[in-house]
Amino acid sequence: MAKKIDAPHRIPAEGGKIIDEYIGRVGTGDDRVSIAHMQAPPGWAEPAQTPEFTEYTIVLKGSVVVEHAGGTDVVSAGQAFVSEPGERVRYSAGLSGAEYIAVCLPAFSPDTVHRDE
């Protein structure tokens, strides 16, 4: 059934990051996919994680720094990054912060992200 999403659901996050989930477990109850608009200030970083989902990151403004087994990539506005399930990755914001879209298949879940302590 077709449906309009009037507004995202804001998910609490640490370090000044803003997560607005439009589609996913929290926003719409969908466990197949999550689509969120993220905004992270300069200096934001999260612990490394080894998720059970594929994550597609599309950077709109600034840059996202992704540390992974193959090295470190700086993903700038207009670029994208894909991480596969079981890959250990760590995301942080570049010097001017970051605004990006994250798409996770299946949908993001705190139980399947497996963040380092």
Side-chain angles (χ1 to χ4, degrees):
M1 168 174 35
K3 68 177 171 181
K4 176 184 172 187
I5 311 296
D6 288 319
H9 183 87
R10 174 104 0 126
I11 298 172
E14 294 183 19
K17 182 178 176 183
I18 297 170
I19 303 172
D20 287 330
E21 183 182 87
Y22 283 84
I23 299 163
R25 294 177 195 273
V26 176
T28 60
D30 193 327
D31 62 358
R32 296 168 298 165
V33 62
S34 60
I35 302 173
H37 177 238
M38 318 283 229
Q39 297 177 68
W44 168 83
E46 65 184 9
Q49 60 191 29
T50 309
E52 296 178 24
F53 47 82
T54 301
E55 185 165 355
Y56 303 90
T57 303
I58 303 167
V59 180
L60 305 173
K61 294 180 183 173
S63 61
V64 174
V65 179
V66 186
E67 300 169 38
H68 52 90
T72 300
D73 285 300
V74 177
V75 187
S76 299
Q79 297 179 322
F81 187 86
V82 179
S83 64
E84 298 292 337
E87 285 187 291
R88 187 171 187 271
V89 293
R90 181 174 183 263
Y91 297 96
S92 59
L95 295 175
S96 61
E99 181 178 351
Y100 59 102
I101 301 293
V103 177
C104 299
L105 289 171
F108 175 91
S109 165
D111 296 333
T112 62
V113 71
H114 307 295
R115 285 201 175 103
D116 291 357
E117 293 295 322

mmCIF file of all heavy atoms in Angstrom, residues 66-91:
data_model
loop_
_atom_site.group_PDB
_atom_site.id
_atom_site.type_symbol
_atom_site.label_atom_id
_atom_site.label_comp_id
_atom_site.label_asym_id
_atom_site.label_seq_id
_atom_site.Cartn_x
_atom_site.Cartn_y
_atom_site.Cartn_z
ATOM 1 N N VAL A 66 35.579 7.090 6.996
ATOM 2 C CA VAL A 66 35.249 5.693 7.269
ATOM 3 C C VAL A 66 36.542 4.899 7.416
ATOM 4 O O VAL A 66 37.322 4.789 6.466
ATOM 5 C CB VAL A 66 34.388 5.073 6.147
ATOM 6 C CG1 VAL A 66 33.943 3.666 6.548
ATOM 7 C CG2 VAL A 66 33.187 5.946 5.817
ATOM 8 N N GLU A 67 36.755 4.360 8.615
ATOM 9 C CA GLU A 67 37.896 3.481 8.865
ATOM 10 C C GLU A 67 37.411 2.044 8.716
ATOM 11 O O GLU A 67 36.363 1.682 9.251
ATOM 12 C CB GLU A 67 38.429 3.699 10.281
ATOM 13 C CG GLU A 67 38.905 5.115 10.549
ATOM 14 C CD GLU A 67 39.179 5.357 12.020
ATOM 15 O OE1 GLU A 67 39.701 4.443 12.705
ATOM 16 O OE2 GLU A 67 38.841 6.461 12.492
ATOM 17 N N HIS A 68 38.173 1.232 7.975
ATOM 18 C CA HIS A 68 37.781 -0.160 7.729
ATOM 19 C C HIS A 68 39.043 -0.984 7.517
ATOM 20 O O HIS A 68 40.158 -0.447 7.505
ATOM 21 C CB HIS A 68 36.834 -0.250 6.525
ATOM 22 C CG HIS A 68 37.346 0.430 5.297
ATOM 23 N ND1 HIS A 68 38.121 -0.212 4.360
ATOM 24 C CD2 HIS A 68 37.228 1.715 4.864
ATOM 25 C CE1 HIS A 68 38.434 0.635 3.392
ATOM 26 N NE2 HIS A 68 37.906 1.821 3.680
ATOM 27 N N ALA A 69 38.892 -2.281 7.336
ATOM 28 C CA ALA A 69 40.040 -3.183 7.207
ATOM 29 C C ALA A 69 40.959 -2.802 6.053
ATOM 30 O O ALA A 69 42.164 -3.018 6.117
ATOM 31 C CB ALA A 69 39.566 -4.626 7.049
ATOM 32 N N GLY A 70 40.420 -2.203 5.003
ATOM 33 C CA GLY A 70 41.216 -1.832 3.835
ATOM 34 C C GLY A 70 41.894 -0.479 3.954
ATOM 35 O O GLY A 70 42.604 -0.062 3.051
ATOM 36 N N GLY A 71 41.661 0.237 5.062
ATOM 37 C CA GLY A 71 42.271 1.548 5.250
ATOM 38 C C GLY A 71 41.256 2.560 5.737
ATOM 39 O O GLY A 71 40.298 2.223 6.415
ATOM 40 N N THR A 72 41.451 3.814 5.334
ATOM 41 C CA THR A 72 40.560 4.904 5.719
ATOM 42 C C THR A 72 40.160 5.658 4.466
ATOM 43 O O THR A 72 41.009 6.001 3.648
ATOM 44 C CB THR A 72 41.252 5.864 6.708
ATOM 45 O OG1 THR A 72 41.626 5.127 7.875
ATOM 46 C CG2 THR A 72 40.341 7.008 7.104
ATOM 47 N N ASP A 73 38.859 5.895 4.309
ATOM 48 C CA ASP A 73 38.353 6.662 3.181
ATOM 49 C C ASP A 73 37.678 7.931 3.690
ATOM 50 O O ASP A 73 36.911 7.887 4.657
ATOM 51 C CB ASP A 73 37.325 5.854 2.382
ATOM 52 C CG ASP A 73 37.964 4.782 1.532
ATOM 53 O OD1 ASP A 73 38.789 5.131 0.670
ATOM 54 O OD2 ASP A 73 37.643 3.592 1.730
ATOM 55 N N VAL A 74 37.952 9.036 3.034
ATOM 56 C CA VAL A 74 37.231 10.278 3.275
ATOM 57 C C VAL A 74 36.194 10.382 2.165
ATOM 58 O O VAL A 74 36.546 10.455 0.985
ATOM 59 C CB VAL A 74 38.174 11.499 3.273
ATOM 60 C CG1 VAL A 74 37.378 12.783 3.453
ATOM 61 C CG2 VAL A 74 39.236 11.356 4.359
ATOM 62 N N VAL A 75 34.932 10.342 2.548
ATOM 63 C CA VAL A 75 33.831 10.362 1.593
ATOM 64 C C VAL A 75 33.235 11.766 1.624
ATOM 65 O O VAL A 75 32.657 12.181 2.627
ATOM 66 C CB VAL A 75 32.774 9.293 1.949
ATOM 67 C CG1 VAL A 75 31.721 9.197 0.857
ATOM 68 C CG2 VAL A 75 33.432 7.934 2.193
ATOM 69 N N SER A 76 33.409 12.501 0.540
ATOM 70 C CA SER A 76 33.001 13.906 0.469
ATOM 71 C C SER A 76 31.631 14.058 -0.176
ATOM 72 O O SER A 76 31.097 13.118 -0.770
ATOM 73 C CB SER A 76 34.035 14.699 -0.326
ATOM 74 O OG SER A 76 35.297 14.624 0.312
ATOM 75 N N ALA A 77 31.096 15.282 -0.081
ATOM 76 C CA ALA A 77 29.798 15.587 -0.689
ATOM 77 C C ALA A 77 29.788 15.135 -2.147
ATOM 78 O O ALA A 77 30.754 15.354 -2.887
ATOM 79 C CB ALA A 77 29.524 17.080 -0.595
ATOM 80 N N GLY A 78 28.717 14.453 -2.534
ATOM 81 C CA GLY A 78 28.597 13.932 -3.893
ATOM 82 C C GLY A 78 29.147 12.535 -4.062
ATOM 83 O O GLY A 78 29.048 11.961 -5.138
ATOM 84 N N GLN A 79 29.719 11.980 -2.997
ATOM 85 C CA GLN A 79 30.259 10.622 -3.054
ATOM 86 C C GLN A 79 29.458 9.702 -2.128
ATOM 87 O O GLN A 79 28.666 10.158 -1.306
ATOM 88 C CB GLN A 79 31.727 10.608 -2.626
ATOM 89 C CG GLN A 79 32.629 11.425 -3.547
ATOM 90 C CD GLN A 79 34.074 11.410 -3.079
ATOM 91 O OE1 GLN A 79 34.372 11.447 -1.887
ATOM 92 N NE2 GLN A 79 34.984 11.367 -4.046
ATOM 93 N N ALA A 80 29.701 8.406 -2.266
ATOM 94 C CA ALA A 80 28.995 7.412 -1.459
ATOM 95 C C ALA A 80 29.974 6.337 -0.989
ATOM 96 O O ALA A 80 31.076 6.195 -1.523
ATOM 97 C CB ALA A 80 27.869 6.783 -2.269
ATOM 98 N N PHE A 81 29.544 5.574 0.004
ATOM 99 C CA PHE A 81 30.344 4.477 0.543
ATOM 100 C C PHE A 81 29.390 3.337 0.877
ATOM 101 O O PHE A 81 28.270 3.568 1.341
ATOM 102 C CB PHE A 81 31.073 4.922 1.812
ATOM 103 C CG PHE A 81 32.051 3.909 2.335
ATOM 104 C CD1 PHE A 81 33.346 3.875 1.846
ATOM 105 C CD2 PHE A 81 31.674 2.983 3.292
ATOM 106 C CE1 PHE A 81 34.263 2.927 2.307
ATOM 107 C CE2 PHE A 81 32.578 2.034 3.759
ATOM 108 C CZ PHE A 81 33.867 2.014 3.270
ATOM 109 N N VAL A 82 29.837 2.109 0.634
ATOM 110 C CA VAL A 82 29.039 0.928 0.952
ATOM 111 C C VAL A 82 29.856 0.027 1.858
ATOM 112 O O VAL A 82 31.003 -0.303 1.543
ATOM 113 C CB VAL A 82 28.650 0.136 -0.324
ATOM 114 C CG1 VAL A 82 27.831 -1.097 0.039
ATOM 115 C CG2 VAL A 82 27.902 1.024 -1.303
ATOM 116 N N SER A 83 29.260 -0.375 2.982
ATOM 117 C CA SER A 83 29.897 -1.383 3.834
ATOM 118 C C SER A 83 28.993 -2.615 3.854
ATOM 119 O O SER A 83 27.771 -2.499 3.881
ATOM 120 C CB SER A 83 30.137 -0.856 5.249
ATOM 121 O OG SER A 83 28.921 -0.568 5.897
ATOM 122 N N GLU A 84 29.624 -3.769 3.810
ATOM 123 C CA GLU A 84 28.894 -5.032 3.755
ATOM 124 C C GLU A 84 28.728 -5.619 5.157
ATOM 125 O O GLU A 84 29.495 -5.305 6.063
ATOM 126 C CB GLU A 84 29.657 -6.028 2.865
ATOM 127 C CG GLU A 84 29.805 -5.584 1.421
ATOM 128 C CD GLU A 84 28.500 -5.556 0.653
ATOM 129 O OE1 GLU A 84 27.550 -6.258 1.037
ATOM 130 O OE2 GLU A 84 28.435 -4.821 -0.351
ATOM 131 N N PRO A 85 27.746 -6.496 5.342
ATOM 132 C CA PRO A 85 27.568 -7.142 6.642
ATOM 133 C C PRO A 85 28.846 -7.865 7.076
ATOM 134 O O PRO A 85 29.548 -8.458 6.256
ATOM 135 C CB PRO A 85 26.443 -8.160 6.391
ATOM 136 C CG PRO A 85 25.731 -7.658 5.181
ATOM 137 C CD PRO A 85 26.771 -6.958 4.359
ATOM 138 N N GLY A 86 29.163 -7.764 8.353
ATOM 139 C CA GLY A 86 30.336 -8.441 8.899
ATOM 140 C C GLY A 86 31.627 -7.655 8.777
ATOM 141 O O GLY A 86 32.650 -8.072 9.316
ATOM 142 N N GLU A 87 31.617 -6.513 8.065
ATOM 143 C CA GLU A 87 32.802 -5.663 7.973
ATOM 144 C C GLU A 87 32.862 -4.744 9.189
ATOM 145 O O GLU A 87 31.875 -4.114 9.545
ATOM 146 C CB GLU A 87 32.741 -4.774 6.720
ATOM 147 C CG GLU A 87 33.030 -5.479 5.435
ATOM 148 C CD GLU A 87 33.116 -4.498 4.282
ATOM 149 O OE1 GLU A 87 32.073 -3.931 3.915
ATOM 150 O OE2 GLU A 87 34.236 -4.297 3.764
ATOM 151 N N ARG A 88 34.048 -4.646 9.787
ATOM 152 C CA ARG A 88 34.238 -3.727 10.918
ATOM 153 C C ARG A 88 34.528 -2.346 10.349
ATOM 154 O O ARG A 88 35.469 -2.175 9.584
ATOM 155 C CB ARG A 88 35.396 -4.200 11.794
ATOM 156 C CG ARG A 88 35.536 -3.405 13.073
ATOM 157 C CD ARG A 88 36.558 -4.091 13.990
ATOM 158 N NE ARG A 88 36.602 -3.456 15.281
ATOM 159 C CZ ARG A 88 37.395 -2.423 15.581
ATOM 160 N NH1 ARG A 88 38.216 -1.934 14.669
ATOM 161 N NH2 ARG A 88 37.372 -1.896 16.784
ATOM 162 N N VAL A 89 33.680 -1.372 10.725
ATOM 163 C CA VAL A 89 33.830 -0.004 10.233
ATOM 164 C C VAL A 89 33.678 0.969 11.389
ATOM 165 O O VAL A 89 33.058 0.662 12.409
ATOM 166 C CB VAL A 89 32.789 0.343 9.133
ATOM 167 C CG1 VAL A 89 33.032 -0.454 7.863
ATOM 168 C CG2 VAL A 89 31.373 0.120 9.632
ATOM 169 N N ARG A 90 34.277 2.146 11.216
ATOM 170 C CA ARG A 90 34.113 3.226 12.193
ATOM 171 C C ARG A 90 33.880 4.511 11.422
ATOM 172 O O ARG A 90 34.658 4.862 10.537
ATOM 173 C CB ARG A 90 35.349 3.372 13.071
ATOM 174 C CG ARG A 90 35.210 4.471 14.111
ATOM 175 C CD ARG A 90 36.415 4.480 15.059
ATOM 176 N NE ARG A 90 36.254 5.481 16.078
ATOM 177 C CZ ARG A 90 36.787 6.711 16.016
ATOM 178 N NH1 ARG A 90 37.534 7.063 14.972
ATOM 179 N NH2 ARG A 90 36.580 7.586 16.980
ATOM 180 N N TYR A 91 32.798 5.198 11.766
ATOM 181 C CA TYR A 91 32.422 6.426 11.091
ATOM 182 C C TYR A 91 32.732 7.631 11.974
ATOM 183 O O TYR A 91 32.534 7.597 13.185
ATOM 184 C CB TYR A 91 30.917 6.438 10.777
ATOM 185 C CG TYR A 91 30.478 5.352 9.837
ATOM 186 C CD1 TYR A 91 29.948 4.157 10.318
ATOM 187 C CD2 TYR A 91 30.582 5.514 8.464
ATOM 188 C CE1 TYR A 91 29.539 3.151 9.455
ATOM 189 C CE2 TYR A 91 30.170 4.517 7.587
ATOM 190 C CZ TYR A 91 29.651 3.346 8.096
ATOM 191 O OH TYR A 91 29.245 2.349 7.224
#
